[in-house]
């Protein structure tokens, strides 16, 4: 049974009024800052185009996990025309690390296509280790819409494609454990006709095997997140905690007055990250939510404020370490990959009961 929360009717919550706040010259709300319990790694970014041994201009939105004794990252790699700054193509890169900080990129891009399946372009990967295998959720751009996909591997050389959705759906993440015997997936379909504009929500589905998905329900709606005025979507695969399944999600606010943002000069959106907590035995139930964004792109961090798309933070991996610390991996300004850390208990404290 799903619990759809409506924060508008709760006296302790209120929608952020974008027209009444103190803003800087770019329209950024000065009151919005990364929560102090989250610390950016001082050596950021941890991966950029300079680290990639093949054609690369934009490195971002990576999936990161720990598998077979190593940290593994699959990152989105875009390449562009240097004169026009127009993106010309996209592939997925593969990197490994012993400590989750220093990464070595494999010499060739990673391709899902086995030669027999017309996958097309794959991007925005998310990694989850489940039942001893590494699963990758990804988006794929086809001629007739955007679809989500799931593939599994044991060696990062051979991939089994388990599922490609009908358009339009993307931003998938898998839970690292089965719940009541089923695989669980968070996703973000495009509700274009019923809800004009980018008013997209987070949904949840279940599967016995990763191939056939159903039991789909609305999990968290944009109206329940008071610091966005556009869309939300899954970000990191959840991690199991004593209090429930903890996950970061992305939220977007848009302001038409923003000028000169991004390579295009007309980027108007800001991507930040919030936290949600789902019931451990029934992940269809939201039991906690951060009051505001917990990780916000800030002007002091140039790699977050200046890039292909300015003021974008997009988490794609969250790893719980043995000492209860948490590594958060996020794409910054759609141009580099960065790292932040926090204590698990501090993150759980930010998830207020709903």
């Amino acid at each position: 049974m799903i619990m759809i929360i409506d924060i508008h009717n709760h006296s302790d919550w209120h929608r952020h009024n974008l027209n009444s706040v103190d803003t800087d010259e770019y329209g950024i709300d000065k009151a919005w800052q990364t929560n102090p319990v989250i610390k950016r790694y001082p050596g950021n970014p941890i991966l950029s185009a300079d680290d990639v041994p093949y054609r690369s201009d934009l490195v971002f939105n990576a999936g990161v996990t720990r598998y077979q004794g190593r940290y593994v990252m699959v990152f989105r790699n875009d390449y562009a025309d240097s004169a026009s700054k127009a993106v010309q193509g996209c592939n997925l890169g593969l990197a490994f690390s012993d400590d989750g900080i220093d990464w070595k990129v494999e010499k060739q891009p990673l391709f899902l296509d086995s030669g027999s399946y017309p996958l097309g372009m794959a991007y925005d990967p998310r990694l989850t280790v489940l039942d001893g295998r590494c699963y990758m959720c990804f988006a794929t751009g086809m001629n007739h819409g955007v679809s989500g996909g799931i593939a599994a591997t044991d060696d990062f050389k051979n991939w089994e494609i388990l599922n490609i959705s009908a358009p339009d759906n993307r931003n998938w993440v898998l839970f690292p454990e089965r719940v009541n015997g089923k695989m669980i997936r968070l996703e973000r379909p495009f509700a274009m006709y019923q809800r004009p504009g980018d008013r997209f929500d987070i949904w949840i589905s279940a599967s016995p095997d990763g191939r056939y998905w159903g039991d789909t329900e609305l999990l968290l709606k944009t109206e329940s997140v008071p610091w966005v005025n556009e869309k939300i979507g899954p970000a990191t695969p959840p991690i199991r905690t004593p209090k429930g399944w903890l996950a970061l999600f992305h939220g977007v606010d848009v302001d038409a007055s923003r000028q000169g943002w991004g390579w295009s000069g007309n980027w108007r959106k800001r991507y930040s990250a919030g936290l949600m907590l789902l019931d451990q035995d029934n992940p269809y139930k939201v039991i906690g939510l951060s009051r505001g964004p917990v990780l916000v792109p800030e002007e002091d961090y140039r790699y977050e404020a200046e890039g292909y798309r300015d003021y974008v933070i997009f988490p794609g991996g969250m790893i719980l370490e043995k000492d209860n610390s948490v590594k958060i991996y996020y794409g910054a300004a759609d141009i580099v990959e960065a790292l932040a850390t926090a204590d698990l208990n501090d993150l759980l404290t930010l998830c207020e009961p709903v």
Side-chain angles (χ1 to χ4, degrees), residues 63 92 112 123-128 135-139 148-151 159 171-175 184-186 213 237:
L92 297 180
L112 277 175
Y123 56 97
D124 292 353
R126 304 287 178 268
L127 300 180
T128 300
Y135 289 81
M136 180 167 65
C137 294
F138 57 92
I150 299 176
W159 292 86
N171 288 149
W172 291 4
V173 299
L174 285 179
F175 282 58
I184 305 295
R185 178 179 82 193
L186 302 180
W213 290 86

Side-chain angles (χ1 to χ4, degrees), residues 51-69:
D51 302 308
V52 180
Y54 43 87
R55 187 180 180 188
S56 177
D57 292 290
L58 312 174
V59 170
F60 61 110
N61 290 8
V64 185
T65 191
R66 221 178 12 234
Y67 186 63
Q68 296 180 344

Side-chain angles (χ1 to χ4, degrees), residues 242-259:
K243 294 186 177 181
W245 295 103
L246 180 69
L248 285 158
F249 64 93
H250 67 268
V252 179
D253 71 278
V254 61
D255 185 343
S257 69
R258 293 168 180 163
Q259 301 293 325

